[in-house]
Amino acid sequence: SAFRSAPLFTRSEGPYLFDVDGNKFLDWTSQAICTNLGYSVPDTVLEAVMKQMKTLPMVYGGLGNTEIRVRLAALLSELLPGDLSGFLFPSGG
């Protein structure tokens, strides 16, 4: 079956995946969550994610705001051109 012939991945490095036999695969899909940035996650990002997961792992956007969303909206307002008065942070693509 196709499932049995698929590689069994054991580790990653940047945009690459490695299988149990040490073969290196470039992930051309770049579509799942944040893997378009590669699979290597800097320690600062891991620490920020762990902090957020311990305090408030998920709040649906339609329920209200969170500190991180407010801070991101303020930063985007400063960086992007035009008079932006609101942002929508959807939970999916």
Side-chain angles (χ1 to χ4, degrees):
S1 79
F3 179 75
R4 289 188 184 142
S5 65
L8 178 59
F9 297 119
T10 57
R11 69 181 188 90
S12 62
E13 183 179 315
Y16 299 100
L17 296 167
F18 296 84
D19 70 8
V20 293
D21 298 319
N23 296 309
K24 183 177 179 179
F25 298 81
L26 175 60
D27 182 354
W28 287 95
T29 61
S30 302
Q31 62 186 349
I33 314 299
C34 61
T35 56
N36 55 342
L37 302 175
Y39 291 93
S40 299
V41 181
D43 287 341
T44 53
V45 172
L46 289 173
E47 291 166 8
V49 168
M50 289 301 297
K51 179 182 175 187
Q52 188 65 43
M53 292 299 290
K54 288 178 181 179
T55 58
L56 189 61
M58 170 60 182
V59 173
Y60 176 68
L63 291 177
N65 283 316
T66 61
E67 178 188 357
I68 195 70
R69 286 184 192 144
V70 170
R71 289 174 43 206
L72 178 57
L75 178 62
L76 290 172
S77 291
E78 291 176 20
L79 296 175
L80 297 173
D83 185 20
L84 301 172
S85 61
F87 292 89
L88 174 66
F89 300 109
S91 59

